[in-house]
Amino acid sequence: MKRDAIREFFRRLAEANPEPSTELEYATPFQLLVAVVLSAQATDKSVNLATRGLFAAAPTPEAMLTLGEEGVAAHIRTIGLYRNKARNTVALSRLLLERHGGEVPRSRPALEALPGVGRKTANVVLNTVFGEPVMAVDTHIFRVANRTGLAPGKDVLAVENALMRRVPKEYLKNAHHWLILHGRYVCVARKPKCGECRVFDLCEYRDKTA
């Protein structure tokens, strides 16, 4: 996709949703971090259902540590890999208290040093909490970037780097939210809703459904 088309692509998405945000429910940076860790291989809806009770019982790293693995697991057992995620949630709470005074660090290396936190999770936190212009590439963004011709890449890091180069600076801060939502509700995996797509004419996908 050419530069002018990319700019128009994001202009239209921005026009339709000027203030995009994550669909995960949270009240603090710590809660967002935990929610993103729990969202691996799970839907935002299922995570929200689980974290409402979890965050009521343990809204802070201190409370999460006190709740313990079994207590966390009891709240999140409806989510896939819940035992491993409970272990990571308690462990990252401990490290936040030991290394960062209970605060979520504004540093990718520091975030990625926490249990259960990879590059994508760190990018979500850096973008959503701290407003950093970074790109958290999940399966939705990977699909949209390749299918539309926006930023093709063989793996998530290649797509992330391509998007960082190609997305106009004025749209970069919100770009990953727009792309996730577009992939989740319009440019879906099996039967993309091309008839509802705002960027239909810009998209380079050969098998459009309308």
Side-chain angles (χ1 to χ4, degrees), residues 5 7 10 34 38 42 47 54 80 92 100 105 114 125 136 138 143 168 173 198 203-205 208:
R7 184 175 296 278
F10 284 103
V34 170
L38 297 181
V47 172
L54 176 63
L92 72 83
H100 306 288
L114 299 172
V125 173
D138 67 351
R143 179 176 65 255
K173 178 178 177 293
R198 291 178 173 272
C203 174
E204 298 176 358
Y205 185 44
K208 293 177 182 176

Side-chain angles (χ1 to χ4, degrees), residues 54 57-58 64 66-77 83 86 90:
L54 176 63
M64 198 70 73
T66 300
L67 187 60
E69 286 185 30
E70 289 303 316
V72 174
H75 284 283
I76 67 169
R77 63 177 66 253
R83 288 205 173 276
V90 173

Side-chain angles (χ1 to χ4, degrees), residues 12-31:
R12 294 182 193 178
L13 296 184
E15 182 180 56
N17 186 3
E19 299 293 336
S21 63
T22 179
E23 293 185 318
L24 291 170
E25 297 173 0
Y26 70 98
T28 66
F30 168 70
Q31 291 178 14

Side-chain angles (χ1 to χ4, degrees), residues 85-196:
K85 290 177 179 179
R87 187 179 307 113
N88 285 336
T89 298
V90 173
L92 72 83
S93 298
R94 180 181 293 108
L95 288 184
L96 286 177
L97 291 166
E98 292 177 354
R99 299 179 181 178
H100 306 288
E103 300 295 323
V104 175
R106 187 175 183 169
S107 159
R108 188 198 307 281
L111 285 167
E112 291 185 11
L114 299 172
V117 179
R119 185 178 183 87
K120 185 191 77 173
T121 296
N123 279 347
V124 172
V125 173
L126 289 171
N127 179 267
T128 306
V129 174
F130 300 111
E132 298 283 350
V134 293
M135 192 68 60
V137 178
D138 67 351
T139 55
H140 295 301
I141 293 183
F142 185 79
R143 179 176 65 255
V144 171
N146 278 285
R147 178 184 279 170
T148 63
L150 178 64
K154 293 182 178 180
D155 54 45
V156 292
L157 185 57
V159 168
E160 178 185 335
N161 290 335
L163 286 168
M164 293 298 292
R165 292 193 306 270
R166 291 183 165 208
V167 177
K169 288 185 178 180
E170 64 267 32
Y171 298 119
L172 192 54
K173 178 178 177 293
N174 291 323
H176 103 268
H177 289 302
W178 286 317
L179 293 176
I180 286 173
L181 294 172
H182 190 65
R184 183 173 290 165
Y185 297 111
V186 181
C187 195
V188 296
R190 294 185 179 181
K191 294 182 179 180
K193 302 174 184 178
C194 299
E196 302 175 19

